[in-house]
mmCIF file of all heavy atoms in Angstrom:
data_model
loop_
_atom_site.group_PDB
_atom_site.id
_atom_site.type_symbol
_atom_site.label_atom_id
_atom_site.label_comp_id
_atom_site.label_asym_id
_atom_site.label_seq_id
_atom_site.Cartn_x
_atom_site.Cartn_y
_atom_site.Cartn_z
ATOM 1 N N GLN J 3 17.279 8.370 5.661
ATOM 2 C CA GLN J 3 16.095 7.517 5.512
ATOM 3 C C GLN J 3 15.528 7.694 4.120
ATOM 4 O O GLN J 3 15.457 8.802 3.583
ATOM 5 C CB GLN J 3 15.044 7.861 6.544
ATOM 6 C CG GLN J 3 15.431 7.490 7.976
ATOM 7 C CD GLN J 3 14.302 7.679 8.977
ATOM 8 O OE1 GLN J 3 13.461 8.537 8.801
ATOM 9 N NE2 GLN J 3 14.270 6.820 9.986
ATOM 10 N N LEU J 4 15.142 6.572 3.538
ATOM 11 C CA LEU J 4 14.593 6.563 2.189
ATOM 12 C C LEU J 4 13.252 5.862 2.193
ATOM 13 O O LEU J 4 13.074 4.839 2.833
ATOM 14 C CB LEU J 4 15.540 5.799 1.226
ATOM 15 C CG LEU J 4 16.989 6.243 1.190
ATOM 16 C CD1 LEU J 4 17.796 5.286 0.317
ATOM 17 C CD2 LEU J 4 17.098 7.660 0.657
ATOM 18 N N VAL J 5 12.291 6.456 1.478
ATOM 19 C CA VAL J 5 10.956 5.893 1.388
ATOM 20 C C VAL J 5 10.539 5.825 -0.065
ATOM 21 O O VAL J 5 10.442 6.864 -0.730
ATOM 22 C CB VAL J 5 9.928 6.719 2.200
ATOM 23 C CG1 VAL J 5 8.540 6.114 2.078
ATOM 24 C CG2 VAL J 5 10.339 6.799 3.656
ATOM 25 N N GLU J 6 10.289 4.596 -0.544
ATOM 26 C CA GLU J 6 9.837 4.413 -1.922
ATOM 27 C C GLU J 6 8.316 4.467 -2.004
ATOM 28 O O GLU J 6 7.640 4.103 -1.043
ATOM 29 C CB GLU J 6 10.310 3.070 -2.467
ATOM 30 C CG GLU J 6 11.814 2.875 -2.459
ATOM 31 C CD GLU J 6 12.262 2.063 -1.256
ATOM 32 O OE1 GLU J 6 11.556 2.092 -0.216
ATOM 33 O OE2 GLU J 6 13.315 1.377 -1.356
ATOM 34 N N SER J 7 7.809 4.838 -3.171
ATOM 35 C CA SER J 7 6.395 4.822 -3.423
ATOM 36 C C SER J 7 6.188 4.713 -4.919
ATOM 37 O O SER J 7 7.116 4.891 -5.708
ATOM 38 C CB SER J 7 5.697 6.057 -2.860
ATOM 39 O OG SER J 7 6.196 7.240 -3.495
ATOM 40 N N GLY J 8 4.963 4.401 -5.321
ATOM 41 C CA GLY J 8 4.622 4.382 -6.722
ATOM 42 C C GLY J 8 4.475 2.991 -7.324
ATOM 43 O O GLY J 8 4.096 2.878 -8.493
ATOM 44 N N GLY J 9 4.799 1.963 -6.560
ATOM 45 C CA GLY J 9 4.628 0.622 -7.055
ATOM 46 C C GLY J 9 3.159 0.250 -7.196
ATOM 47 O O GLY J 9 2.268 0.935 -6.686
ATOM 48 N N GLY J 10 2.924 -0.877 -7.853
ATOM 49 C CA GLY J 10 1.532 -1.328 -8.019
ATOM 50 C C GLY J 10 1.476 -2.417 -9.069
ATOM 51 O O GLY J 10 2.490 -3.013 -9.477
ATOM 52 N N LEU J 11 0.260 -2.668 -9.522
ATOM 53 C CA LEU J 11 -0.024 -3.671 -10.547
ATOM 54 C C LEU J 11 -0.280 -3.002 -11.868
ATOM 55 O O LEU J 11 -1.076 -2.062 -11.952
ATOM 56 C CB LEU J 11 -1.240 -4.507 -10.137
ATOM 57 C CG LEU J 11 -1.769 -5.507 -11.141
ATOM 58 C CD1 LEU J 11 -0.719 -6.614 -11.385
ATOM 59 C CD2 LEU J 11 -3.067 -6.132 -10.655
ATOM 60 N N VAL J 12 0.393 -3.462 -12.899
ATOM 61 C CA VAL J 12 0.247 -2.898 -14.224
ATOM 62 C C VAL J 12 0.301 -4.023 -15.254
ATOM 63 O O VAL J 12 0.958 -5.039 -15.033
ATOM 64 C CB VAL J 12 1.320 -1.826 -14.499
ATOM 65 C CG1 VAL J 12 2.708 -2.458 -14.528
ATOM 66 C CG2 VAL J 12 1.051 -1.067 -15.778
ATOM 67 N N GLN J 13 -0.382 -3.827 -16.367
ATOM 68 C CA GLN J 13 -0.342 -4.811 -17.443
ATOM 69 C C GLN J 13 0.931 -4.649 -18.282
ATOM 70 O O GLN J 13 1.517 -3.567 -18.339
ATOM 71 C CB GLN J 13 -1.552 -4.664 -18.345
ATOM 72 C CG GLN J 13 -2.871 -5.062 -17.660
ATOM 73 C CD GLN J 13 -4.037 -5.014 -18.633
ATOM 74 O OE1 GLN J 13 -3.989 -4.472 -19.706
ATOM 75 N NE2 GLN J 13 -5.167 -5.594 -18.196
ATOM 76 N N ALA J 14 1.351 -5.733 -18.901
ATOM 77 C CA ALA J 14 2.525 -5.670 -19.770
ATOM 78 C C ALA J 14 2.355 -4.566 -20.800
ATOM 79 O O ALA J 14 1.277 -4.413 -21.395
ATOM 80 C CB ALA J 14 2.745 -7.019 -20.448
ATOM 81 N N GLY J 15 3.439 -3.818 -21.023
ATOM 82 C CA GLY J 15 3.415 -2.696 -21.912
ATOM 83 C C GLY J 15 3.082 -1.391 -21.266
ATOM 84 O O GLY J 15 3.217 -0.330 -21.898
ATOM 85 N N GLY J 16 2.633 -1.441 -20.018
ATOM 86 C CA GLY J 16 2.262 -0.220 -19.323
ATOM 87 C C GLY J 16 3.449 0.463 -18.681
ATOM 88 O O GLY J 16 4.609 0.065 -18.857
ATOM 89 N N SER J 17 3.138 1.510 -17.896
ATOM 90 C CA SER J 17 4.184 2.335 -17.281
ATOM 91 C C SER J 17 3.882 2.584 -15.821
ATOM 92 O O SER J 17 2.739 2.596 -15.405
ATOM 93 C CB SER J 17 4.298 3.677 -18.005
ATOM 94 O OG SER J 17 4.640 3.523 -19.367
ATOM 95 N N LEU J 18 4.963 2.803 -15.050
ATOM 96 C CA LEU J 18 4.882 3.234 -13.671
ATOM 97 C C LEU J 18 6.029 4.165 -13.425
ATOM 98 O O LEU J 18 7.073 4.082 -14.071
ATOM 99 C CB LEU J 18 5.009 2.044 -12.713
ATOM 100 C CG LEU J 18 3.793 1.123 -12.528
ATOM 101 C CD1 LEU J 18 4.192 -0.074 -11.680
ATOM 102 C CD2 LEU J 18 2.616 1.860 -11.894
ATOM 103 N N ARG J 19 5.834 5.057 -12.472
ATOM 104 C CA ARG J 19 6.910 5.909 -11.991
ATOM 105 C C ARG J 19 7.088 5.731 -10.517
ATOM 106 O O ARG J 19 6.162 5.966 -9.745
ATOM 107 C CB ARG J 19 6.671 7.396 -12.282
ATOM 108 C CG ARG J 19 7.926 8.249 -12.000
ATOM 109 C CD ARG J 19 7.728 9.719 -12.298
ATOM 110 N NE ARG J 19 6.916 10.385 -11.289
ATOM 111 C CZ ARG J 19 6.961 11.692 -11.069
ATOM 112 N NH1 ARG J 19 7.737 12.478 -11.780
ATOM 113 N NH2 ARG J 19 6.186 12.222 -10.114
ATOM 114 N N LEU J 20 8.294 5.274 -10.109
ATOM 115 C CA LEU J 20 8.616 5.094 -8.721
ATOM 116 C C LEU J 20 9.290 6.379 -8.204
ATOM 117 O O LEU J 20 10.023 7.022 -8.908
ATOM 118 C CB LEU J 20 9.570 3.930 -8.522
ATOM 119 C CG LEU J 20 9.087 2.595 -9.114
ATOM 120 C CD1 LEU J 20 10.102 1.484 -8.756
ATOM 121 C CD2 LEU J 20 7.715 2.221 -8.592
#
Side-chain angles (χ1 to χ4, degrees):
Q3 291 187 328
L4 307 174
V5 180
E6 303 97 333
S7 62
L11 175 65
V12 65
Q13 293 184 346
S17 299
L18 285 173
R19 189 180 76 157
L20 306 183

